Amino acid sequence: MTATDPALTAFANGWSALSLLHDRIETHVERALQSRHGLSVREYALLDVLGRQHDGEGGHLQMKQAADAVVLSQSATTRLVTRLEDRGLLSRYLCPTDRRGIYADVTEAGRRLLAEARPTNEAALHEALDEAARNPALAPLVRAVEAVEAVEAVEAAPARR
């Protein structure tokens, strides 16, 4: 294959479109979350991931797992946790069975803010996708995102008997 190979060009164009869609969505959601709740997209994502954890054995994420879930390095995640902890939205504690493990948990104030921000996040996502769907280069990607959403909704629905 050469650099001008049509398959490579199509692949590069597809990657560019996907990157553009991601950037547009993230920018739109960031503005909405910042203006209404004082949260960045990454802060919201971390609160959301940690807020979905359950109590009890295995119910919390270690910092490495949280970093993987929000696609940040461990050091960037630690800084993010520190900022949210300083705002009273998260707390950290040592793992009771492995003193090397550190967990983060959403505080009551963090849960309230997350509950307030969740509808804003959802609305901003839908607005950004609706806008992107009007762009012919992005419309197929929007349909793919919507298809994933539909599959997840079906899988989350209780089985009918």
Side-chain angles (χ1 to χ4, degrees), residues 82-100:
T82 298
R83 281 197 312 271
L84 293 172
E85 189 175 36
D86 290 347
R87 291 173 60 188
L89 303 174
L90 289 181
S91 62
R92 276 188 266 210
Y93 60 95
L94 292 175
C95 172
T97 59
D98 178 0
R99 305 288 290 173
R100 295 170 296 168

Side-chain angles (χ1 to χ4, degrees), residues 37 111-120:
H37 308 286
R111 290 185 194 288
R112 282 193 305 272
L113 182 58
L114 183 58
E116 293 167 9
R118 194 168 271 130
T120 300

Side-chain angles (χ1 to χ4, degrees), residues 157-161:
R160 298 185 201 276
R161 293 185 186 237

Side-chain angles (χ1 to χ4, degrees), residues 19-33:
S19 180
L20 177 62
L21 178 63
H22 175 271
D23 290 348
R24 285 187 179 183
I25 291 171
E26 188 171 64
T27 298
H28 188 80
V29 172
E30 178 87 24
R31 285 183 186 139
L33 288 171

